[in-house]
Amino acid sequence: MLRFGDQVDVQGVLAGTPDADQCIRYLSKYLTKSLGETLDADDSARRDHAARMVEALRYEPCSPSCANWLRYGVQPKGAKAGMAPGRCRSKAHKPEHLGYAGRRVLVSRKWSNKTLREHKQDRRAWVLDALGLADDPTQNDPHRYLWKPVSTNDPTRTPLAKRLLRGVANRQRTRARLLELQARAEGRPEPDLSATPGLEVAA
């Protein structure tokens, strides 16, 4: 059963129009967003779980200006004296919200009703297609590598500085390739990346 509240915003919407699509996304966001209604006040296990979640979220950053960034050595936006981790007054840390506001991920007009994992898979597929690479299913196999701790005294261990430089160099090569493909797809001259400072790291 649906009832109108004190505030009503009635707008005519035609099926198949961008406005109708936007309204569907907006409704989907708020119909699937509420977490408080699933909490049974008479269930002590659920209450304890919610209390642990609220306590954990108390120390997680909720926005660029959240004081909790200080835990990670990052200066919050608009930092001021007296800021301390765990004392942010944002509603994201309050029990009735149990997490982050939806606007931190997507605004209503761009709500897709997809999970973050699905968005990650979409981005991966787009990048592979742009680079002209086939998606290798073996890359998603969690057992393709054997992980074990490496001692700091291991002579085969690559120094941290070299590993970081290698990661930055790989990222720069991927970005340069994407810029080249985008320019080619849009019919623009391909960017001259020869003058762009890069990193040469030995394998």
Side-chain angles (χ1 to χ4, degrees), residues 61-71 74 76 83-88 93:
C62 66
S63 68
S65 59
C66 183
N68 290 334
W69 284 114
L70 296 171
R71 298 180 62 210
V74 177
M83 295 183 72
R87 296 184 180 179
C88 179
H93 303 290

Side-chain angles (χ1 to χ4, degrees), residues 103-176:
R103 184 170 291 276
R104 294 196 66 224
V105 180
L106 291 172
V107 296
S108 301
R109 63 179 176 275
K110 295 181 180 179
W111 184 255
S112 62
N113 213 23
K114 290 185 178 181
T115 64
L116 294 178
R117 180 184 295 272
E118 290 171 335
H119 282 295
K120 183 177 180 180
Q121 292 174 345
D122 289 345
R123 291 195 301 270
R124 172 183 170 84
W126 181 87
V127 171
L128 290 175
D129 182 66
L131 295 176
L133 301 176
D135 190 4
D136 186 357
T138 61
Q139 294 296 319
N140 299 323
D141 182 10
H143 304 292
R144 68 184 185 276
Y145 297 119
L146 178 63
W147 301 94
K148 63 179 182 179
V150 179
S151 171
T152 55
N153 299 324
D154 190 339
T156 63
R157 184 172 183 261
T158 306
L160 176 61
K162 190 171 183 179
R163 282 179 278 149
L164 291 174
L165 289 173
R166 183 181 296 163
V168 172
N170 289 336
R171 176 62 178 169
Q172 287 183 337
R173 283 193 291 268
T174 301
R175 184 173 182 273

